[in-house]
Amino acid sequence: PRNVCLQIPTVPEKVRDITGRIEVSPKSVRVHGLAGRLATGEILASGTITREHTPYFNLAVDIRRVPLIKIAGERLKGAGQIVDSLTGKFQIEGVPDPRTWTGSFDGLLRLAQANGADDIPLHLSVADGAMQLRDLQFTWAGGNVTASGRAPIHLSAVAEGTVVFEAIDLNAIGKL
């Protein structure tokens, strides 16, 4: 395809200017270097989706400088002043039932700071129907923040987690 748009149901922003190659056969769909723009960032996807008796998929998506607020929409309202963009590689595989999915995301989360921006290593895992974040640590407003959490893949389910703030300068937060 060339210059196609795609609306992903859980993402408020459309993926635009899609180019690449998709190979469709009776047994599978292969995605070869499908590239597109998501807001001001880029995505590149590749992988296979089988169309046999038990459908199965294995996909890899490279994400480059995608504004996180454009992916999460209302789920991150108010965080747009802090969270800038996301860069990394998301890999996932399984059958159509989300409880079977396994995968990971390894990348960088760019956070706005009063004195610039910081790239924070971000590692997520996908298993047992949920995405899990463990010990995301970064310096913010003169102090330290540590976050862990678990978010079910089903958007109607409740996410849970903890965020620990240590020695945060509340005056610095007001300047962002």
Side-chain angles (χ1 to χ4, degrees):
R2 296 194 103 173
N3 300 322
V4 174
C5 288
L6 172 67
Q7 181 68 59
I8 302 168
T10 57
V11 177
E13 188 85 13
K14 286 182 182 179
V15 180
R16 300 183 185 285
D17 302 326
I18 298 172
T19 61
R21 190 172 127 224
I22 300 173
E23 180 183 326
V24 180
S25 73
K27 292 186 177 184
S28 68
V29 175
R30 291 182 170 267
V31 178
H32 302 278
L34 204 58
R37 299 198 58 72
L38 182 52
T40 57
E42 301 171 355
I43 61 170
L44 178 66
S46 61
T48 302
I49 303 167
T50 65
R51 301 172 56 185
E52 299 184 47
H53 178 68
T54 303
Y56 173 82
F57 68 91
N58 182 335
L59 299 171
V61 180
D62 284 315
I63 300 167
R64 298 177 187 145
R65 299 171 313 282
V66 172
L68 193 57
I69 201 76
K70 296 292 185 177
I71 298 173
E74 288 295 311
R75 292 182 294 278
L76 279 181
K77 68 180 173 184
Q81 299 169 338
I82 301 167
V83 177
D84 185 11
S85 65
L86 187 64
T87 296
K89 185 166 192 163
F90 182 61
Q91 296 181 283
I92 191 161
E93 63 181 280
V95 298
D97 181 355
R99 293 173 295 187
T100 69
W101 298 357
T102 59
S104 63
F105 176 84
D106 290 301
L108 297 172
L109 181 63
R110 176 157 277 210
L111 299 181
Q113 301 279 358
N115 58 348
D118 285 334
D119 289 329
I120 310 302
L122 177 63
H123 308 287
L124 303 169
S125 62
V126 176
D128 302 321
M131 186 171 282
Q132 184 142 352
L133 168 69
R134 291 193 186 189
D135 299 326
L136 173 67
Q137 298 178 354
F138 58 95
T139 302
W140 183 55
N144 296 310
V145 178
T146 303
S148 296
R150 184 175 190 277
I153 293 171
H154 295 287
L155 294 178
S156 60
V158 176
E160 58 188 16
T162 59
V163 178
V164 177
F165 298 98
E166 295 178 34
I168 300 295
D169 179 357
L170 296 178
N171 290 322
I173 292 172
K175 295 176 186 175
L176 287 178

